[in-house]
Amino acid sequence: MTVVMTGATGFLGSRLLRALLATGTDRVTVLGRDGLRPLAERVAAALHGCGATEDELVRAHERVTAVRVDLTRPRLGLTPDAHRWLGERAEAIWHCAAALSPAGTEAALTPVNVTGTCRLTELADHAPAGVPFLHLSTACVSAEPAPGSRERRSSPAAADAFTGYQRTERRAEEVVRAWSDGRRPALVLRPSVLATDGPLPDTAAQQPLSTLGSGLSALVEQVPASLRGLVLGRRAGLPRLRVRILGDPAARVNIVPVEYAVDAMLRLARLPHPPGVTTYPLVHPDETPARALVAAVAELFPGVELILQPAVDRPNLVERRINPVLAGLLRHDRRSRAADRVPLGRALPGLPCPAPVDGAYLRAAMNVRLPVPP
């Protein structure tokens, strides 16, 4: 038997894979594409990027099998026999793979996010009865008003704020519900904005806050070395460099440490799974005000002024790099509010509280490596 997993090279998936191996999972079959390097090499690099030791990498080499697939093709591109063989040996199926581009259109993201989920449920059709399907979604799917709702009618512009990513993730959840049909166990896990205050190499999969930090670092590097001191050390009477971010100064965002989310996922996976779909929000109990993020940037870059505004006209190079990744991040409350979800506190009464997302955490999560002033 084996745990089957997609998305093992991503920011969340690599940490989930590492935790699965650390908690005694004997065999994991990782599904994915080769890309520029073979899948097995990409998985090892992802584990190393999230902190795995050499001993852990050796054990992963012995216990992880990488299988090249195409999520968009029937049977994942496998032969009928190989497809059935893999499904029949699954003891759990973790679907963590997704196209995450917030700026991507619904049409562009559908093949991976929706079709890919369909292909994984087809694999799950071969699994023994009672094998859970664990689907990683996002807390923001429940923020969109339902079709025809009063909220949508009263705010026509609101529909434009919901991204293709959100829409495809909602459709993917519908695929899981249709597959389960009240007969097979499935968990829909909805994390909010994931982050870590631990080290994050440039070669590792990134998260939104680290992307913001790297974009601001790139801005500093574009400043002539002789003037960088003006950016890294605020001086009275001198203007600051302005970076415009799509957002609302009064917004709040739910940022949750990835370590907490992974711990909660593994605990949920160990619970009994009745037939049907159970949805869990993986969110922080405290919202992070957008102003706190602005203040954290000011601490790191005293000479940079971060401005939140609803539109950015003629963005500069740094703004073009940052805003597509942060699209919608500082516009909405990202907490999952859907009526169908089960609060973690009720499902996991022994789950430790997540680390506070304060100024120190935000500064660490931006993972900034500042150039040394001359």
Side-chain angles (χ1 to χ4, degrees):
M1 301 295 285
T2 181
V3 170
V4 176
M5 182 179 184
T6 67
T9 59
F11 176 73
L12 172 61
S14 58
R15 287 161 175 79
L16 179 59
L17 174 59
R18 185 186 179 194
L20 282 169
L21 295 172
T23 52
T25 300
D26 186 54
R27 302 295 305 176
V28 180
T29 300
V30 169
L31 308 182
R33 56 184 174 80
D34 275 352
L36 297 177
R37 290 186 292 171
L39 177 61
E41 291 185 17
R42 295 176 58 233
V43 170
L47 289 172
H48 183 265
C50 68
T53 65
E54 290 302 319
D55 286 344
E56 287 180 279
L57 294 176
V58 170
R59 290 194 294 271
H61 180 74
E62 297 170 347
R63 295 158 61 190
V64 176
T65 301
V67 176
R68 185 177 61 183
V69 302
D70 184 340
L71 287 176
T72 66
R73 294 180 59 191
R75 299 188 304 272
L76 303 172
L78 301 172
T79 66
D81 287 346
H83 187 257
R84 178 177 293 276
W85 185 90
L86 179 59
E88 289 176 345
R89 283 155 181 77
E91 60 183 277
I93 297 175
W94 288 86
H95 183 31
C96 306
L100 300 175
S101 172
T105 65
E106 184 171 0
L109 300 180
T110 291
V112 172
N113 294 353
V114 183
T115 305
T117 303
C118 288
R119 301 309 184 205
L120 259 292
T121 59
E122 291 168 358
L123 180 73
D125 284 336
H126 297 305
V131 167
F133 188 96
L134 301 107
H135 176 70
L136 270 294
S137 183
T138 170
C140 65
V141 298
S142 61
E144 180 177 0
S149 72
R150 180 177 180 181
E151 182 180 351
R152 181 182 292 279
R153 292 196 303 271
S154 64
S155 181
D160 297 332
F162 298 108
T163 66
Y165 170 62
Q166 289 171 272
R167 295 181 189 279
T168 55
E169 285 298 312
R170 172 177 279 192
R171 289 169 57 196
E173 288 191 12
E174 292 170 355
V175 168
V176 175
R177 289 188 174 86
W179 169 81
S180 170
D181 194 27
R183 297 177 295 106
R184 302 287 297 265
L187 279 69
V188 171
L189 307 174
R190 291 177 175 170
S192 57
V193 178
L194 293 165
T196 183
D197 61 349
L200 194 58
D202 291 337
T203 54
Q206 302 295 302
Q207 36 89 359
L209 292 180
S210 67
T211 300
L212 172 61
S214 64
L216 294 173
S217 297
L219 174 64
V220 173
E221 290 172 1
Q222 293 173 17
V223 175
S226 60
L227 300 177
R228 284 179 189 165
L230 302 181
V231 177
L232 301 177
R234 180 84 173 103
R235 297 186 184 180
L238 294 176
R240 291 184 290 174
L241 293 175
R242 303 176 68 196
V243 177
R244 299 166 298 170
I245 299 294
L246 290 170
D248 176 358
R252 298 179 304 162
V253 59
N254 194 284
I255 300 171
V256 62
V258 68
E259 298 82 4
Y260 169 82
V262 167
D263 182 23
M265 289 175 192
L266 294 183
R267 290 170 184 252
L268 291 171
R270 290 192 290 266
L271 296 177
H273 304 301
V277 176
T278 310
T279 302
Y280 297 96
L282 304 173
V283 299
H284 201 286
D286 300 316
E287 307 293 331
T288 300
R291 289 189 176 88
L293 184 59
V294 172
V297 170
E299 289 283 338
L300 289 169
F301 301 92
V304 175
E305 182 181 9
L306 199 66
I307 301 172
L308 302 182
Q309 56 189 60
V312 175
D313 182 42
R314 291 181 293 182
N316 59 36
L317 181 63
V318 172
E319 292 165 347
R320 288 199 299 271
R321 175 178 176 177
I322 293 174
N323 278 312
V325 178
L326 302 181
L329 175 66
L330 297 174
R331 289 181 174 180
H332 310 295
D333 177 357
R334 305 299 286 268
R335 181 190 298 274
S336 177
R337 296 184 297 272
D340 61 349
R341 87 286 188 274
V342 177
L344 278 187
R346 192 172 80 197
L348 301 172
L351 180 68
C353 293
V357 179
D358 52 17
Y361 186 95
L362 292 172
R363 291 192 295 273
M366 280 189 273
N367 198 47
V368 170
R369 284 179 286 277
L370 297 172
V372 179

